[in-house]
Amino acid sequence: MSFKDNLRDELNYQGMIVKELAEKSGVPKGTIDHYLAEKNTEPIADNAVKIAQALGVSVEYLVTGNVSVKVRSADLNGFSSDDFKLLKKYALLLRKLDVLPEPVKNSFCVLVEKYGL
């Protein structure tokens, strides 16, 4: 997949619009729109880094669609590729869970444990 495809997929996955990405990354909306256009324009390195950081992914992922195990090995030691796919699939839910107050998080964890989920 191309940068355009990976960027579009990541925006959809995170439920983010181009305007929001532009604000978070500092890359003009028109520039991001250009990257998403039919021409498959690749960004300059500086913009790719800004966009990747704003999305919380690596530049390698946006360019190739692959996740560097080397980059993530310290954080995901012992995780299989299937585990990583699950983390990716539920990343938005985990981010939302992470910002809940501790008592709510604890209640959620108790509920999950109670039902063996």
Side-chain angles (χ1 to χ4, degrees):
M1 291 177 69
S2 67
F3 181 89
K4 172 185 82 169
D5 296 329
N6 294 327
L7 177 57
R8 173 68 60 205
D9 285 350
E10 194 61 31
L11 285 169
N12 290 336
Y13 175 75
Q14 293 192 24
M16 188 181 296
I17 60 173
V18 174
K19 181 179 177 184
E20 184 181 356
L21 177 60
E23 291 168 0
K24 286 181 78 173
S25 68
V27 177
K29 180 184 178 300
T31 301
I32 296 170
D33 285 335
H34 187 70
Y35 298 148
L36 294 168
E38 293 299 318
K39 298 176 187 171
N40 283 336
T41 304
E42 297 287 328
I44 61 171
D46 187 50
N47 284 350
V49 169
K50 289 176 183 178
I51 290 169
Q53 288 174 340
L55 291 170
V57 299
S58 69
V59 174
E60 177 185 4
Y61 172 74
L62 288 177
V63 173
T64 68
N66 297 323
V67 177
S68 173
V69 175
K70 179 180 174 187
V71 171
R72 299 186 186 273
S73 63
D75 295 332
L76 298 175
N77 192 19
F79 280 66
S80 70
S81 62
D82 287 341
D83 292 334
F84 185 77
K85 287 176 187 172
L86 282 173
L87 287 172
K88 176 76 173 146
K89 181 177 180 181
Y90 293 106
L92 184 58
L93 176 63
L94 290 171
R95 287 184 194 116
K96 288 179 180 181
L97 179 61
D98 192 48
V99 297
L100 292 174
E102 285 301 317
V104 175
K105 281 192 244 186
N106 292 338
S107 296
F108 178 78
C109 291
V110 167
L111 181 67
V112 168
E113 288 294 322
K114 180 178 180 179
Y115 291 99
L117 303 174

